[in-house]
């Protein structure tokens, strides 16, 4: 409940980058983790826009041998996550700088098994969506997964996902609002 109230507070404070009417639910979190694909021990799962940590907790639970790195722009969410999900590494920064964040952790794209995104990519300002997507492409080797969720699959059809192959989507009705998990595989 406290986390939900915190999320609503940040919607009011920073609507454009929070980009949702509430935190995601556990059913969507499980569907996002289902789409991640194989992860070897010690590999990194990058989570973008973790908010209050609904997906982060599920990723840490589902992939205990991996390193979950959560990249969050909002300093309040990042501060909260550090204590709320101690099993994750929290980076307070922008998802458009994944190369720098990985380097700061002593990692490269070679170490990254998948990227899971809760970012409101379709509503972020200016050229940020394009820069974030380029950053994700740079962080993933061919064959690895990028997992996004959306409330509007139709709007996503207009998004230029060059460098990625879309995999079959999965609708999650038991979320408010209902959402769709969009998995992509990095191509050459
Ligand atoms: C729609 S909320 C999703 C939160 C959480 N994943 C969930 O599903 O409940 C989007 C999150 O992305 C974060 N965010 C927005 N722009 C970002 C950026 N450029 N880099 C990192 N995080 C960002 C916001 O602060 C917010 O926590």
């Amino acid at each position: 409940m406290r986390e939900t109230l915190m999320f609503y507070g940040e919607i009011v404070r920073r609507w454009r980058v929070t980009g949702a009417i509430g935190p995601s639910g556990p059913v969507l979190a499980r569907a996002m983790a289902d789409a991640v694909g194989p992860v070897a021990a010690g590999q990194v799962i990058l989570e973008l826009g973790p908010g209050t940590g609904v997906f982060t907790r599920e990723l840490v639970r589902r992939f205990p041998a991996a390193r979950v790195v959560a990249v969050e722009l909002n300093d309040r969410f990042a501060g909260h996550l550090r204590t709320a999900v101690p099993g994750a590494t929290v980076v307070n920064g922008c998802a458009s700088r994944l190369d720098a964040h990985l380097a700061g952790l002593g990692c490269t794209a070679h170490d990254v098994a998948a990227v899971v995104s809760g970012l409101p990519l379709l509503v972020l300002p200016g050229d940020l969506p394009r820069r974030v997507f380029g950053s994700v492409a740079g962080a993933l080797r061919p064959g690895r997964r990028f997992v996004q969720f959306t409330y509007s699959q139709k709007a996503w059809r207009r998004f230029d996902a060059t460098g990625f192959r879309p995999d079959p989507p999965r609708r999650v009705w038991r979320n408010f609002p209902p959402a769709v998990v969009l998995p992509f595989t990095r191509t050459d």
Side-chain angles (χ1 to χ4, degrees):
M1 186 60 184
R2 212 180 119 241
E3 286 189 344
T4 304
L5 288 176
M6 180 186 191
F7 199 96
Y8 288 135
E10 295 311 297
I11 291 173
V12 173
R13 208 172 70 95
R14 307 190 66 180
W15 161 249
R16 195 78 194 272
V17 294
T18 307
I21 58 169
S24 298
V27 178
L28 178 58
R30 289 197 287 276
M32 293 291 279
D34 287 345
V36 161
V39 180
Q43 280 191 309
V44 170
I45 299 174
L46 277 176
E47 186 196 358
L48 316 181
T52 49
V54 180
F55 299 164
T56 324
R57 282 192 186 84
E58 180 62 20
L59 292 169
V60 167
R61 190 186 71 79
R62 189 79 72 89
F63 302 100
R67 182 176 189 187
V68 175
V69 175
V71 180
E72 173 56 58
L73 188 65
N74 181 320
D75 51 347
R76 291 192 188 174
F77 283 147
H80 171 73
L81 277 175
R82 287 198 175 100
T83 48
V85 194
T89 300
V90 179
V91 174
N92 186 193
C94 182
S96 65
R97 298 298 319 280
L98 295 179
D99 53 348
H101 300 322
L102 285 170
L105 297 169
C107 301
T108 67
H110 176 78
D111 304 305
V112 179
V115 176
V116 173
S117 168
L119 295 173
L121 265 184
L122 298 178
V123 299
L124 289 178
D127 70 344
L128 196 51
R130 189 187 55 74
R131 288 193 289 118
V132 169
F133 210 71
S135 174
V136 171
L140 283 173
R141 292 272 187 263
R144 297 185 181 175
R145 274 265 170 94
F146 170 64
V147 184
Q148 174 69 46
F149 85 89
T150 184
Y151 303 130
S152 171
Q153 198 178 349
K154 195 171 164 197
W156 255 87
R157 289 195 193 109
R158 291 195 300 273
F159 193 86
D160 177 11
T162 301
F164 288 83
R165 180 191 74 225
D167 295 319
R170 176 173 165 194
R171 186 167 291 281
V172 178
W173 291 108
R174 285 175 60 202
N175 189 71
F176 183 75
V180 180
V181 175
L182 301 173
F184 296 85
T185 298
R186 181 82 171 99
T187 54
D188 289 331

